[in-house]
Amino acid sequence: MGSRSAGAMLWLLVCAALLLGCCQGRFVVEKNSLKVTAPDDLKGTYECAIGNFGVPQYGGTMVGIVAYPKANRKACKSFDDFDISYKAKPGAFPTFLLVDRGDCYFAKKAWNAQKAGAAAILVADDKDEPLITMDNPEESGNTDYLENITIPSALITKSFGDRLKKAIDKGDMVNVNLDWGEALPHPDERVEYEFWTNSNDECGPKCDSQIDFVKSFKGAAQVLEKKGYTEFTPHYITWYCPEAFILSKQCKSQCINHGRYCAPDPEQDFSKGYDGKDVVVQNLRQEKKYTKECAEGVIKSLGLDHKAIDKCIGDPDADEENPVLKAEQDAQIGKGSRGDVTILPTLVINNRQYRAIQTNECLENNGGCWQDKAANITACKDTFRGRVYECPVVKGVKFVGDGYTHCEASGSGRCEINNGGCWKDTKNGRTYSACTDDGCKCPDGFKGDGKHKCEDIDECKEKTACQCKECKCKNTWGSYECGCSGGLLYMREHDTCISKNGASEAGWGFLWVVFFGLVAAGIAGYAVYKYRIRRYMDSEIRAIMAQYMPLDNQGDVQSHSHHIEM
């Protein structure tokens, strides 16, 4: 095995060893998710960086309550000095201790938090910057506690830390869920890892140390695979030449099998040295030297059948597919959560893609993801295993969609984020919006899809308003104005015109009728009252007079009665 191939393999073995706990090393900024479930104004999922010490719960989750100390907020001293304890009582939620960055090593903070009884430590950054890995102290000294740190640790951004502190200061209970599910997937009990490279991959100036590591790790790797703990599959990356350029000088020098399988020119010079097609052939031989004679010599010294290898390689000049290289190209295509393999070298662990260098794929063409440039919102999320499509959560508003071609704000508050992606316009001092809690709908006076366009409805032209005989209609943006000819007055509710003078006269006539009606009713009531009072007084006077003298009608009655008796 050549030194360059050993260098490429080193990345694979380092990551596999890190995965299996055989050694410690830093790959890239490793991140996990922190989900806040309460209070409501903090609900959402946030990224945090895993510390390079302690024990991350790969593949697992941890639920707890965040606490922010009233003293020793940088956790550089023992909490025993402040009589503070975070040991959970039986049945209580574990405590995630939130501390500030600065004044001492990250690991020291974690050790003090662990001694105080915290189940995990969250370190809030003290400046606005991308997340970094919290590393071990590099200088010598009393750092024996490092190997005794068992609680997980995570660095969070300054803005997120400030929000957590504000909620705790208000007395809110902050419930969080630390999730290491994405940090390292475990679809089964066996670790399946692949390494993608080619025979021209460079290892750089550290080839010797990397070769030593390969030699020392070889036995452990074989034992792990034989016992069923791991499965390793090496891959070589090739590309194909576009059909329109198959006969070009570039394709002829870089490809075999009529442009089907290509590799970049090793010297980046098509006029000298080895060609890309030599690299492809050596990928098949899995041997670094580019000449057939050299390769056959090495194969013979290893006691291998070079004829069988030549049969596997086939005829590089034939216009036909090579089964081995075709299978490799098919395997390069992304499946599920794993993207296409395009960068050298690339490591795949349990169908999740990782890179040997930190590259932000979202910086170029937004990673091919959905974005709203006006609101500066994107679905591209850069992780240490490559970019992923994920509709974001912005200011508590959740976007839903595939993340690739479409993301749309949903729920209450959606109109606060770029007007919910709906149409909005202002003219002549008037502003109209199509955003509602249920989606995009053009407001009254407009028509359209509500998302990209809303057009003014011409009520006058479409004869939907101001259509009476005397009406005069004038369309305006989003509405209309209606007047009447001949000094008439327009009544919008009834879409009709009435006379201003007629309306006035009728109004006064009605008032006079009411007035005289009230007067007549008063006079009639007074007359009835006077009549009843007079009759009552008349009857009372007659009764009194009857006691002292006979009345005329009473005398007549008595005389008449006497006459009858005779």
Side-chain angles (χ1 to χ4, degrees):
M1 179 180 291
S3 62
R4 291 181 178 180
S5 295
M9 288 294 293
L10 173 66
W11 285 106
L12 170 65
L13 299 175
V14 168
C15 293
L18 174 62
L19 169 66
L20 299 169
C22 296
C23 66
Q24 284 189 327
R26 180 169 54 188
F27 192 51
V28 293
V29 178
E30 196 176 5
K31 300 176 184 177
N32 64 306
S33 296
L34 189 153
K35 183 178 182 180
V36 179
T37 57
D40 289 340
D41 58 349
L42 271 178
K43 276 187 178 180
T45 303
Y46 305 84
E47 273 192 344
C48 52
I50 298 174
N52 208 18
F53 47 83
V55 183
Q57 305 298 317
Y58 286 117
T61 59
M62 180 183 289
V63 178
I65 297 175
V66 180
Y68 185 49
K70 295 182 179 180
N72 195 27
R73 288 187 165 179
K74 292 185 178 180
C76 291
K77 299 179 180 179
S78 174
F79 283 94
D80 290 339
D81 298 342
F82 301 87
D83 196 24
I84 296 176
S85 175
Y86 295 102
K87 292 181 173 63
K89 296 180 180 180
F93 278 109
T95 299
F96 293 175
L97 187 60
L98 174 65
V99 301
D100 296 328
R101 181 182 177 182
D103 292 355
C104 61
Y105 290 121
F106 292 120
K108 185 67 173 178
K109 299 175 187 288
W111 177 240
N112 287 331
Q114 178 176 310
K115 289 194 301 177
I121 182 172
L122 307 177
V123 180
D125 206 342
D126 57 355
K127 51 189 169 184
D128 293 316
E129 62 178 356
L131 291 172
I132 63 171
T133 298
M134 297 186 294
D135 212 343
N136 297 324
E138 296 181 358
E139 65 181 39
S140 60
N142 184 19
T143 57
D144 296 338
Y145 58 82
L146 282 174
E147 62 185 23
N148 296 319
I149 297 176
T150 58
I151 65 171
S153 59
L155 178 71
I156 62 176
T157 62
K158 181 179 184 300
S159 59
F160 180 41
D162 290 342
R163 294 181 65 190
L164 287 176
K165 296 171 192 175
K166 184 177 179 181
I168 294 171
D169 288 342
K170 289 194 305 180
D172 292 336
M173 177 184 289
V174 180
N175 295 81
V176 298
N177 186 334
L178 272 172
D179 185 356
W180 292 270
E182 185 196 59
L184 195 62
H186 288 274
D188 53 41
E189 295 301 321
R190 181 180 62 181
V191 176
E192 300 169 1
Y193 59 106
E194 310 168 8
F195 191 62
W196 289 84
T197 183
N198 66 35
S199 57
N200 188 45
D201 194 14
E202 298 284 351
C203 69
K206 297 185 178 180
C207 286
D208 292 339
S209 62
Q210 293 181 0
I211 291 174
D212 291 339
F213 178 83
V214 171
K215 290 179 180 178
S216 64
F217 186 70
K218 176 181 177 181
Q222 290 176 337
V223 170
L224 290 170
E225 183 147 349
K226 286 180 180 179
K227 291 191 175 183
Y229 298 123
T230 65
E231 180 182 272
F232 167 59
T233 306
H235 291 283
Y236 285 100
I237 297 177
T238 61
W239 295 268
Y240 69 89
C241 187
E243 187 175 354
F245 302 99
I246 288 177
L247 300 179
S248 67
K249 177 182 178 180
Q250 291 85 349
C251 279
K252 286 183 176 180
S253 67
Q254 297 184 86
C255 309
I256 66 173
N257 296 102
H258 282 240
R260 287 181 173 86
Y261 314 107
C262 313
D265 189 286
E267 295 89 9
Q268 303 297 316
D269 189 337
F270 300 118
S271 63
K272 64 179 182 180
Y274 298 115
D275 293 327
K277 63 182 180 182
D278 297 323
V279 176
V280 179
V281 173
Q282 288 310 128
N283 285 350
L284 285 168
R285 289 195 181 99
Q286 299 192 25
E287 171 43 48
K288 180 63 168 84
K289 302 302 182 182
Y290 290 138
T291 63
K292 181 178 181 182
E293 294 76 14
C294 180
E296 288 181 351
V298 174
I299 291 171
K300 185 177 180 180
S301 68
L302 295 174
L304 302 175
D305 185 356
H306 72 84
K307 290 184 179 180
I309 294 177
D310 288 342
K311 183 180 179 181
C312 175
I313 294 174
D315 183 1
D317 297 323
D319 186 7
E320 61 185 14
E321 291 184 346
N322 181 292
V324 176
L325 293 177
K326 179 65 167 60
E328 290 291 272
Q329 282 190 346
D330 291 342
Q332 285 176 230
I333 301 173
K335 296 178 181 179
S337 60
R338 199 208 80 186
D340 295 346
V341 177
T342 58
I343 296 177
L344 286 174
T346 291
L347 179 70
V348 177
I349 303 177
N350 291 341
N351 203 37
R352 291 294 182 92
Q353 194 167 323
Y354 302 85
R355 303 286 165 71
I357 56 175
Q358 179 71 23
T359 57
N360 190 342
E361 297 180 35
C362 297
L363 297 180
E364 184 176 350
N365 196 29
N366 195 49
C369 307
W370 170 88
Q371 71 174 147
D372 186 334
K373 292 183 178 180
N376 193 27
I377 299 172
T378 176
C380 189
K381 182 180 180 182
D382 185 60
T383 71
F384 68 99
R385 61 178 176 80
R387 61 98 173 86
V388 294
Y389 307 116
E390 185 177 295
C391 291
V393 176
V394 182
K395 297 180 180 178
V397 178
K398 184 177 182 180
F399 285 72
V400 295
D402 58 15
Y404 181 65
T405 60
H406 174 72
C407 285
E408 183 176 345
S410 63
S412 60
R414 62 186 300 272
C415 298
E416 301 298 324
I417 308 295
N418 195 31
N419 199 49
C422 304
W423 172 88
K424 184 180 181 180
D425 201 359
T426 300
K427 287 183 181 179
N428 304 323
R430 290 183 177 181
T431 299
Y432 290 97
S433 169
C435 186
T436 69
D437 287 344
D438 299 324
C440 299
K441 181 181 179 181
C442 290
D444 294 339
F446 293 88
K447 61 182 179 180
D449 60 10
K451 189 172 184 64
H452 303 100
K453 181 174 65 175
C454 285
E455 295 179 341
D456 173 58
I457 297 175
D458 190 336
E459 291 85 357
C460 303
K461 185 177 180 179
E462 297 189 9
K463 297 182 179 180
T464 58
C466 197
Q467 295 301 307
C468 66
K469 184 178 180 181
E470 298 86 1
C471 291
K472 289 185 177 181
C473 188
K474 178 184 177 182
N475 186 59
T476 62
W477 187 65
S479 186
Y480 66 94
E481 294 177 357
C482 191
C484 297
S485 59
L488 299 178
L489 178 67
Y490 179 67
M491 297 183 68
R492 192 182 187 96
E493 296 80 4
H494 304 286
D495 193 33
T496 187
C497 292
I498 63 173
S499 172
K500 294 181 180 179
N501 295 331
S504 177
E505 292 173 358
W508 280 107
F510 177 74
L511 289 176
W512 281 114
V513 169
V514 172
F515 174 74
F516 284 119
L518 291 174
V519 171
I523 293 174
Y526 180 75
V528 171
Y529 170 76
K530 292 290 289 182
Y531 172 75
R532 294 186 63 185
I533 288 295
R534 186 171 181 178
R535 288 194 60 187
Y536 173 76
M537 292 181 65
D538 187 55
S539 63
E540 287 294 318
I541 292 172
R542 285 177 177 271
I544 294 171
M545 293 180 67
Q547 296 179 11
Y548 300 98
M549 63 185 67
L551 298 179
D552 293 340
N553 58 352
Q554 290 178 343
D556 294 340
V557 172
Q558 293 175 355
S559 175
H560 178 70
S561 301
H562 179 72
H563 176 74
I564 292 174
E565 292 176 356
M566 292 178 62

